[in-house]
Amino acid sequence: MSPSNFIFGLFFLSTVAIAGEPEASRQKELVHLVRQDCGSCHGMTLKGGLGPALLPETLRDKPAEGLAATIYYGRPGTPMPPWKAFLSEAEAAWIVDKLMTEFPQ
């Protein structure tokens, strides 16, 4: 792992630790965002489509901080857009945590 990735990972972890979980109403909004907006590419059941599946078994070998960064900053040169205009870094990390366990309905 490069030093910049390590520092970025520490930043994400510290952001989540400081911010805690989003309030219940915001969690509901984030679940809707993932199910509708992310689902338009990753499949409405998150089993894949234009984008890869977002299921615990397909994400388990991926670093959480990298997934959160992908959500927040997007992937240049691919259809994956940045979502930083719509959510915080801590919320991106919360989404990843839920995707890696079991995403709420």
Side-chain angles (χ1 to χ4, degrees), residues 14 19 25-26 31-32 40 43 45 47-48 52 67 75 83 87 100:
S14 66
S25 61
R26 182 61 176 154
V31 168
H32 180 76
S40 66
T45 58
K47 292 181 181 176
L67 294 170
R75 285 201 153 169
W83 291 91
L87 47 86
M100 294 184 92

Side-chain angles (χ1 to χ4, degrees), residues 2 5 8 26-27 32 41-42 46 48-49 51 58 63 71-72 74-75 85 89 93 104-105:
S2 74
N5 285 345
F8 183 75
R26 182 61 176 154
Q27 287 182 23
H32 180 76
C41 287
H42 294 278
L46 306 178
T58 59
I71 293 169
Y72 194 72
R75 285 201 153 169
E89 292 157 332
Q105 290 298 321

Side-chain angles (χ1 to χ4, degrees), residues 13-96:
L13 291 176
S14 66
T15 303
V16 173
I18 292 169
E21 288 203 349
E23 291 184 14
S25 61
R26 182 61 176 154
Q27 287 182 23
K28 187 175 179 178
E29 292 170 353
L30 293 171
V31 168
H32 180 76
L33 176 107
V34 171
R35 291 281 178 198
Q36 298 302 306
D37 294 291
C38 302
S40 66
C41 287
H42 294 278
M44 299 306 283
T45 58
L46 306 178
K47 292 181 181 176
L50 172 65
L54 299 177
L55 302 171
E57 57 271 16
T58 59
L59 299 176
R60 81 171 45 109
D61 64 335
K62 312 266 189 296
E65 62 274 0
L67 294 170
T70 295
I71 293 169
Y72 194 72
Y73 294 108
R75 285 201 153 169
T78 74
M80 178 65 191
W83 291 91
K84 63 184 179 182
F86 305 99
L87 47 86
S88 70
E89 292 157 332
E91 290 170 337
W94 180 86
I95 290 169
V96 168

